[in-house]
Amino acid sequence: MTSEIVSVYAVFASDEEARRIGREMVERRLAACVNILGPCHSIYRWRGEIEEGPEVTAIFKTDGRSSDALVAAIAERHSYDVPAIAVWPIAATTDDYRSWVSENSR
């Protein structure tokens, strides 16, 4: 049986926060892997004002059955009041990669 795998996109206030939360999610097997992509510059509306500043983007790879728990765990540890966390379905991949992600996340 092949299981669905997904990517979970999240943005963090700092590299330290992304690494700390990323490592914990892999240690807890909520994610098989996290890619911390580095700094980005975000422009957004917050409390009626246009804000902008540096953030750090991360992409977590997990089994679809673990995605709700992963999103909740990231949100619980996140420094933002409203963290940007989104689940992206993976339309196609190799069987080996799908198996690796499924085996390394709950």
Side-chain angles (χ1 to χ4, degrees):
M1 176 176 121
T2 59
S3 61
E4 172 188 354
I5 61 169
V6 299
S7 290
V8 175
Y9 166 87
V11 179
F12 297 93
S14 69
D15 185 69
E16 183 281 325
E17 181 179 36
R19 288 174 183 265
R20 176 177 46 79
I21 292 173
R23 176 171 285 282
E24 183 180 349
M25 298 305 102
V26 173
E27 287 172 350
R28 292 182 58 196
R29 297 182 71 91
L30 291 175
C33 172
V34 60
N35 297 123
I36 299 170
L37 304 178
C40 65
H41 191 83
S42 297
I43 303 169
Y44 54 95
R45 184 174 302 279
W46 181 247
R47 297 185 177 161
E49 300 292 326
I50 302 294
E51 304 283 342
E52 60 180 279
E55 294 184 297
V56 175
T57 305
I59 301 174
F60 298 77
K61 287 79 171 240
T62 193
D63 187 286
R65 296 170 291 196
S66 298
S67 63
D68 287 345
L70 175 60
V71 167
I74 294 169
E76 182 178 292
R77 289 154 180 78
H78 207 288
S79 63
Y80 291 172
D81 292 337
V82 183
I85 307 168
V87 177
W88 294 345
I90 302 299
T93 189
T94 65
D95 289 340
D96 288 343
Y97 180 72
R98 182 183 315 283
S99 293
W100 178 81
V101 171
S102 292
E103 288 170 14
N104 287 285
S105 55
R106 283 193 261 177

